[in-house]
Amino acid sequence: MSDRTPPSVTRRRLLVRGCDVLRVPVEGECDVLSGRDIVVADGVIVDVRPTRAQRAEEPGTEVVDGRGLLALPGLVNAHTHSPMVLMRGAAEDVTVEGWFNDRVWPMESNLTAEDVRTGALLACAEMIRSGVTTFADHYFFPDRIAEAVAETGLRADIAPTYFSSGGASALEAGVAFAEAWHGGADGRVTVSLGPHAPYTVDDQDLRTLADHARRLGVRMHIHAAEHLEQTQSSLERRGITPVRVLYDTGVLDAGALIAHGCGIVERDLSLLAEYADRTAVACCPKVYLKHALSPLTPVRDLLGAGITVAVGTDGAAGHNTLDVWEALRLVALTQKQAVRDATWMTVSDTLRTAVRGGARALGLQDRIGALEPGMRADIVLTDLSGPHCRPLHDARAALVYSARASDVRTVVVDGRVLMRDGRLLTVDEPALLAEADARVARILDTSHGRAVQHYDP
Amino acid sequence: MSDRTPPSVTRRRLLVRGCDVLRVPVEGECDVLSGRDIVVADGVIVDVRPTRAQRAEEPGTEVVDGRGLLALPGLVNAHTHSPMVLMRGAAEDVTVEGWFNDRVWPMESNLTAEDVRTGALLACAEMIRSGVTTFADHYFFPDRIAEAVAETGLRADIAPTYFSSGGASALEAGVAFAEAWHGGADGRVTVSLGPHAPYTVDDQDLRTLADHARRLGVRMHIHAAEHLEQTQSSLERRGITPVRVLYDTGVLDAGALIAHGCGIVERDLSLLAEYADRTAVACCPKVYLKHALSPLTPVRDLLGAGITVAVGTDGAAGHNTLDVWEALRLVALTQKQAVRDATWMTVSDTLRTAVRGGARALGLQDRIGALEPGMRADIVLTDLSGPHCRPLHDARAALVYSARASDVRTVVVDGRVLMRDGRLLTVDEPALLAEADARVARILDTSHGRAVQHYDP
C-alpha cells in the first residue's frame, strides 16, 4: 500500500472556523446553523460549536477559514466504476446493447493494471474537486483502485468486478482482495464482493460469494434489475425476478448494494424489506435518461418499504462526469416527474438521500453522512456567493438546484484536507492528466474484436 | 438609454488568437477546427483562419488569447423571465398551482421598476458568466430590462408581459415599448410583443397585438400549451387547442416564439408548420421535471414537421439558474428518454438546437448562431481542460455532457469583451449582489394577499 499520509502525531487537530453548517437530520427538514467552528481530532468531529474568532487553539491545530462558506457532509457517490473516466465521451448516442457490445466492453479488454490506476487517480481528482468524499466502486484491478484511494485520501468501498466467465481463480482473487484491503488505508477503504449481475454470474457463484461475504463481514455490490426489460427477461427465462435471484442465493442476506434497480417490481419490495437493515439501491438517473430507459428506479416505493436509496453517477463512460451534484439534482427532478408529484422528493429529502442514504448504502452510517460529534470528519466547504445562487433565499434549495461542483472550495476527508480553496493537495493534477492522455489511443482501439463479456441480459 | 459602450472608433477590431473553433453546421455533425484566429471588425466576424502567432495586427486591435480554449457560438436562452432571479429558491416543492397562486404571482405584485432593473442586471451577470450571449425575455417593466441589456452588453429579445386584465393602457404601453426599443442598443435589443398566454389574454387582444406586430415588423412571444392539461382544458372550454387559438388570431402569422408547448398535440403540427419560417418552440425541461409534468415538449415531432426548437431555462423562480448548459443537457437526456431512443438528439443535434435553433427562434439566424464570416461576433471561450472533461475524446460530447457554466472563461458579444478570463467587465458584481440582497425581504413578503393574476388555465 502506498499512502502519502504524513506520519501521525498525537491528537492530530483540525479546526474549520466560522462556517455555516448544513444539518441533515434522519427525518424532517434540513437546516443551516450559522457561524460555527467544527473541531476535529484524529479524524473525528469532536464539536460543532458557535464560532469565537479569538479562541486560543491547541498548538499544532491546522485551521481552515470557513467564513462565508457552507459546510456540508461529504457527498457519497453510491455507484461508479471510477477508472471508466478514461472512456469519458467515447460511447455517445448509441443503444444500451451498442454501448456494451460495440464500445465499452471491447475498450475494457484493453485495460491494464496501470491504466486502471491512472483512471482511478483521475476519478479521485475529479471527485475531490466535486465534493465527493466517499464512493462505491465496482471494477477490475481493484487493488490499483485501493492504492489510488489510499494515496489521494478519499474514502471508498471497492468491489472487485466478477463474471462467472472468469472462473474460480477470478472469484478467489476477489475474495483475496477483500481479505487484504477491507479496513485498509486507516479504515478509509472497505470492500464489498462484486458479482457483476445475475445475468453474468450464475447462482452457484452468487451463493459462494454470499458465503464469503458473511464469513468476512463484508457486503455485496451488484447490478440487478437494471431496467424493466431485464426483469421481464429473467421472468421469461427462469420464472423469477433478478431481486428474487439475489434473495434466493443469499446475496440480500449478506447485505447488498444494488445498482440501478429500475426494473424492481412490486413483488420485489417485500424481499428487499426483509433485509432493509443491510440492503440499498443506488439510483443514477443521468445514465437512465441517456440510455432512454423508462421506468426509473422506483424510489418512492423503495423508501415507502423502508429500503435505503442512495445517489450514484455510474461510470463516466455513460455519465460523462462523477459529479454527484448533477446526480442528486436529477434524482429530485426525475422522481418528481416519475410519480407526477412536484411536492415530494423535497430539497431536504434529496440532500438526505445524497448523504445519509449514501452512508447507509455503504454500511457507513455510524461513520459518515452528518457533521456531528463522533462522526468521521468528511467535510465539504461550498461557496454559495456566486450570482447563480443569489439572492440566497434557501441554502438547501441552492444546493439541490443551483450549486455546481465548481462551487466546492475545500474538502476534508477523515480530518485531512485534500483540497484547500480549489487546490488539490494529494494529486499532481497536471502530471496525472498528461498520463491519462498518453494512454487513450490504445484504450480506444477496438480493432482486435475482443470484449470482456457479451451483453445479452 | 444608458449604455456604457465606449465611443466607437473607426473599425473597432478584435482578434481571438489561437483558439479551437466549434463548427455547428445547419445539418450533419458538428466538428472542431484546431488553432484558429477569429478576426472581428466592428462587431462582425470577418475571418476564421489558421492561427499564425507572429502575424502583425492592425494597430489598435484588441487581442484575446484563445490558446487552449474552445470557441463556440454564444448560447441562446430562448425563454426566460430574467428578473425572476430575485425569487430564486423561494418557491420549492409545490404544485404548479401553488407555485403560481401562493408564491410567484403574489411575490410579483411586490416588484417595482427598480427591482426589475436590479433583477435583470443580476440575470445578465449570471448569463454572461454562463456563456449565454442572447436571451429571449418576457416580463414586466421591459424598459428597465432593455436598459440592463444595453448597459451590460448582452443581446436580448424582450417581450413586455401582457394580461388582458391589464386593459388597453397596458397593451398600448407594450406597443410603445416595441416602438421605442426594437433595434435599440446598437441593434442588440429586439422586441417581441408578449401576451402572456391564451388563457390570460383574450382573442381580441391577441388579434390586436398580432396586428401591431405585423405593422411594426416584430414577432410575438407567448406561453402556450404549457402542458397537456392546458390543451385538454382549452378543448373542453372552447373546442380548440391553444395552438389553434394562436393560428386563428393571427399570432402564428405574425411569427411566434412559443414557450414550452408540452401540450402540443398532433393536430397542431400542421398549423405550426404553415408558419415554420417564423414560428418556434422553446423547450425548458428542468422546469417541466420540477413541476412533475409529462409529457414534455414533443421535440422530435416538431423537428420532423420542420418547426424550429430552441433551448430555454424559463425564469429562475422555477429553474433556479439561467444556465443553458444545464438546459441543453436536459434537452438531450429527456428527449432520448421521451421517445425511448438513445441514438437520437445526438450531441451534434443538441448543440445545433442550442445555438442555431435559438438564433432562429428569435429571428436572428442571419446574425448569430455560428462563428462564420458575416455573423455578429458572439463568441464564448470555454476551457475543457479540467479533470471532469478529461481525457477529451470528443469536445462535442464534453460540451453537452461534461462541461459546466464555470468552464466559460471569456465572453464576447457583438465584438465587445464582456468577460475576460472569468472577470466581468460591464457589471460591478459585488455592488449588484448587495443591491439584490437589500430588496429581497420586501419582495418575499406576501402577507398583503395580492397577486398579479390568478392561475386557472
Side-chain angles (χ1 to χ4, degrees):
Chain A
M1 299 186 203
S2 69
D3 190 330
R4 288 188 192 162
T5 307
S8 303
V9 293
T10 332
R11 298 285 288 171
R12 189 164 47 88
R13 292 182 72 92
L14 175 77
L15 175 71
V16 182
R17 180 176 275 159
C19 58
D20 296 339
V21 174
L22 179 76
R23 236 184 356 190
V24 184
V26 173
E27 285 187 359
E29 294 293 307
C30 300
D31 62 1
V32 173
L33 303 171
S34 289
R36 290 302 197 268
D37 288 348
I38 306 175
V39 186
V40 178
D42 290 340
V44 175
I45 296 172
V46 295
D47 202 1
V48 179
R49 64 191 185 200
T51 191
R52 271 176 283 172
Q54 301 308 320
R55 192 193 295 263
E57 298 310 326
E58 275 189 34
T61 297
E62 181 178 6
V63 177
V64 169
D65 185 357
R67 285 173 300 172
L69 303 175
L70 174 64
L72 55 144
L75 298 176
V76 179
N77 186 347
H79 176 67
T80 190
H81 312 282
S82 65
M84 292 182 88
V85 292
L86 295 172
M87 292 166 250
R88 190 197 312 271
E92 301 302 332
D93 302 322
V94 292
T95 62
V96 173
E97 292 71 21
W99 190 87
F100 276 115
N101 289 331
D102 301 333
R103 307 294 300 142
V104 171
W105 279 350
M107 288 191 281
E108 286 188 332
S109 75
N110 296 329
L111 292 176
T112 65
E114 274 306 295
D115 292 335
V116 164
R117 180 179 175 282
T118 303
L121 285 169
L122 178 56
C124 289
E126 182 185 353
M127 286 192 278
I128 296 169
R129 286 204 166 283
S130 307
V132 176
T133 56
T134 301
F135 64 105
D137 216 19
H138 198 297
Y139 216 60
F140 315 103
F141 303 109
D143 48 333
R144 312 317 285 272
I145 299 170
E147 290 164 13
V149 170
E151 183 176 331
T152 57
L154 276 172
R155 188 183 302 282
D157 185 88
I158 304 169
T161 300
Y162 171 71
F163 299 110
S164 283
S165 58
S169 63
L171 189 150
E172 284 153 21
V175 172
F177 170 73
E179 288 169 336
W181 272 98
H182 187 61
D186 300 323
R188 289 184 286 104
V189 169
T190 55
V191 174
S192 292
L193 296 183
H196 172 262
Y199 60 86
T200 50
V201 179
D202 63 41
D203 288 11
Q204 185 49 52
D205 281 347
L206 290 176
R207 280 197 188 86
T208 303
L209 286 166
D211 288 344
H212 280 296
R214 274 184 297 263
R215 176 178 63 80
L216 295 167
V218 304
R219 291 187 178 183
M220 317 279 283
H221 182 176
I222 186 167
H223 304 83
E226 296 173 291
H227 44 77
L228 194 57
E229 291 77 2
Q230 275 185 14
T231 302
Q232 288 160 343
S233 168
S234 177
L235 285 167
E236 281 162 24
R237 292 189 194 193
R238 49 188 300 183
I240 57 175
T241 67
V243 168
R244 181 65 193 240
V245 174
L246 304 188
Y247 182 91
D248 289 350
T249 52
V251 172
L252 298 188
D253 180 59
L257 172 54
I258 297 173
H260 312 315
C262 300
I264 289 175
V265 290
E266 211 269 330
R267 73 178 85 173
D268 295 327
L269 295 174
S270 61
L271 305 179
L272 293 166
E274 204 174 309
Y275 299 105
D277 63 324
R278 53 193 188 276
T279 294
V281 179
C283 177
C284 313
K286 185 175 174 184
V287 295
Y288 312 150
L289 298 177
K290 201 170 170 202
H291 287 157
L293 301 182
S294 178
L296 307 181
T297 317
V299 172
R300 181 135 85 173
D301 294 341
L302 290 165
L303 293 177
I307 299 150
T308 299
V309 174
V311 178
T313 61
D314 208 349
H319 197 277
N320 298 62
T321 69
L322 301 177
D323 180 347
V324 174
W325 299 93
E326 207 184 347
L328 72 86
R329 181 170 304 170
L330 278 174
V331 167
L333 292 171
T334 58
Q335 288 296 322
K336 283 175 184 287
Q337 192 207 26
V339 300
R340 303 297 306 273
D341 182 355
T343 70
W344 103 288
M345 195 45 86
T346 63
V347 293
S348 288
D349 288 338
T350 305
L351 293 168
R352 181 165 29 245
T353 303
V355 295
R356 294 234 183 226
R360 208 176 155 76
L362 277 62
L364 297 175
Q365 64 271 26
D366 297 333
R367 286 191 239 174
I368 61 167
L371 300 183
E372 295 169 358
M375 303 295 265
R376 305 300 304 181
D378 291 7
I379 306 167
V380 171
L381 292 171
T382 56
D383 178 358
L384 302 181
S385 72
H388 58 291
C389 294
R390 298 285 291 279
L392 186 63
H393 294 305
D394 183 337
R396 302 163 304 181
L399 292 171
V400 175
Y401 290 119
S402 300
R404 305 172 189 140
S406 51
D407 296 327
V408 173
R409 303 251 53 85
T410 292
V411 174
V412 174
V413 175
D414 228 38
R416 181 182 179 198
V417 183
L418 305 189
M419 180 168 82
R420 185 186 279 264
D421 200 22
R423 198 162 57 84
L424 294 180
L425 303 181
T426 59
V427 180
D428 179 350
E429 207 169 18
L432 175 60
L433 291 169
E435 172 83 23
D437 285 349
R439 294 174 180 276
V440 161
R442 180 176 42 74
I443 294 169
L444 262 63
D445 178 8
T446 58
S447 59
H448 48 67
R450 293 190 310 273
V452 292
Q453 193 76 196
H454 183 75
Y455 182 79
D456 180 25
Chain B
M1 301 187 199
S2 69
D3 190 331
R4 289 189 193 162
T5 308
S8 303
V9 292
T10 332
R11 299 285 287 172
R12 191 165 47 88
R13 292 182 72 92
L14 175 77
L15 175 71
V16 182
R17 180 177 272 159
C19 58
D20 295 340
V21 175
L22 180 75
R23 230 178 6 183
V24 184
V26 173
E27 287 187 355
E29 294 292 308
C30 300
D31 61 2
V32 174
L33 304 171
S34 289
R36 290 303 199 267
D37 289 348
I38 305 175
V39 186
V40 178
D42 290 339
V44 176
I45 297 172
V46 294
D47 202 2
V48 179
R49 65 191 184 198
T51 191
R52 270 176 283 171
Q54 301 309 320
R55 192 194 296 262
E57 297 311 325
E58 273 188 37
T61 298
E62 181 177 6
V63 177
V64 170
D65 185 357
R67 286 173 300 171
L69 303 175
L70 174 63
L72 54 143
L75 298 175
V76 179
N77 186 347
H79 176 69
T80 191
H81 313 282
S82 65
M84 292 182 87
V85 292
L86 294 172
M87 292 166 249
R88 191 197 310 271
E92 300 301 333
D93 302 322
V94 291
T95 63
V96 173
E97 291 71 20
W99 190 87
F100 275 114
N101 289 332
D102 302 334
R103 305 296 298 143
V104 171
W105 279 350
M107 287 191 282
E108 285 187 334
S109 76
N110 295 328
L111 292 176
T112 66
E114 274 306 296
D115 292 336
V116 165
R117 180 179 175 279
T118 303
L121 284 169
L122 178 55
C124 289
E126 182 185 354
M127 287 192 277
I128 295 169
R129 286 206 165 282
S130 307
V132 175
T133 55
T134 300
F135 63 106
D137 215 18
H138 197 299
Y139 216 59
F140 315 104
F141 302 109
D143 48 332
R144 313 317 286 273
I145 300 170
E147 289 164 14
V149 170
E151 184 176 332
T152 57
L154 276 171
R155 189 184 302 282
D157 184 89
I158 304 169
T161 300
Y162 172 72
F163 299 111
S164 283
S165 58
S169 63
L171 189 149
E172 283 153 23
V175 173
F177 170 74
E179 287 170 338
W181 273 98
H182 186 60
D186 299 322
R188 289 183 286 105
V189 169
T190 55
V191 174
S192 292
L193 296 183
H196 172 263
Y199 60 86
T200 49
V201 179
D202 62 40
D203 288 11
Q204 184 51 50
D205 280 348
L206 291 175
R207 279 197 190 89
T208 302
L209 287 166
D211 287 343
H212 279 298
R214 272 185 297 262
R215 176 178 64 80
L216 295 168
V218 303
R219 291 187 179 183
M220 318 279 284
H221 182 177
I222 186 166
H223 304 83
E226 295 174 291
H227 44 76
L228 194 56
E229 291 77 3
Q230 276 185 12
T231 301
Q232 288 160 344
S233 169
S234 177
L235 285 167
E236 282 161 23
R237 291 190 194 193
R238 49 188 300 182
I240 57 175
T241 67
V243 168
R244 181 66 194 240
V245 174
L246 305 188
Y247 182 89
D248 289 350
T249 52
V251 172
L252 297 189
D253 180 59
L257 172 53
I258 297 173
H260 313 316
C262 301
I264 289 175
V265 291
E266 212 269 331
R267 73 179 85 171
D268 294 327
L269 295 174
S270 61
L271 305 179
L272 293 166
E274 203 173 310
Y275 299 104
D277 62 324
R278 54 193 186 276
T279 295
V281 178
C283 177
C284 313
K286 185 175 174 185
V287 295
Y288 312 150
L289 298 176
K290 200 170 171 203
H291 288 158
L293 301 182
S294 179
L296 308 181
T297 317
V299 172
R300 182 136 83 173
D301 294 341
L302 289 165
L303 293 177
I307 299 149
T308 299
V309 173
V311 178
T313 61
D314 208 348
H319 197 276
N320 297 63
T321 69
L322 300 177
D323 180 346
V324 173
W325 298 93
E326 207 184 347
L328 72 87
R329 182 171 304 172
L330 279 173
V331 167
L333 292 170
T334 59
Q335 289 295 321
K336 284 175 183 287
Q337 192 207 26
V339 300
R340 304 296 307 273
D341 182 354
T343 69
W344 103 288
M345 195 45 84
T346 63
V347 293
S348 287
D349 288 338
T350 305
L351 293 168
R352 181 166 27 244
T353 302
V355 295
R356 294 233 184 228
R360 207 176 156 75
L362 277 64
L364 298 175
Q365 64 270 24
D366 297 332
R367 287 191 239 175
I368 60 167
L371 299 182
E372 295 169 359
M375 303 296 262
R376 304 301 304 180
D378 291 7
I379 306 167
V380 171
L381 292 171
T382 56
D383 178 359
L384 302 180
S385 72
H388 59 290
C389 293
R390 299 284 293 275
L392 185 63
H393 293 307
D394 182 337
R396 301 163 304 180
L399 292 171
V400 175
Y401 290 119
S402 301
R404 305 171 189 140
S406 50
D407 297 326
V408 173
R409 303 251 54 83
T410 292
V411 174
V412 175
V413 175
D414 228 38
R416 181 182 178 197
V417 183
L418 306 188
M419 181 168 81
R420 185 187 279 265
D421 200 23
R423 197 162 59 84
L424 295 181
L425 303 182
T426 58
V427 180
D428 179 349
E429 208 169 16
L432 176 60
L433 291 169
E435 171 83 22
D437 285 349
R439 293 173 180 277
V440 161
R442 181 177 40 76
I443 294 169
L444 260 65
D445 178 7
T446 58
S447 59
H448 48 67
R450 291 191 309 274
V452 292
Q453 192 76 197
H454 183 75
Y455 182 77
D456 180 25

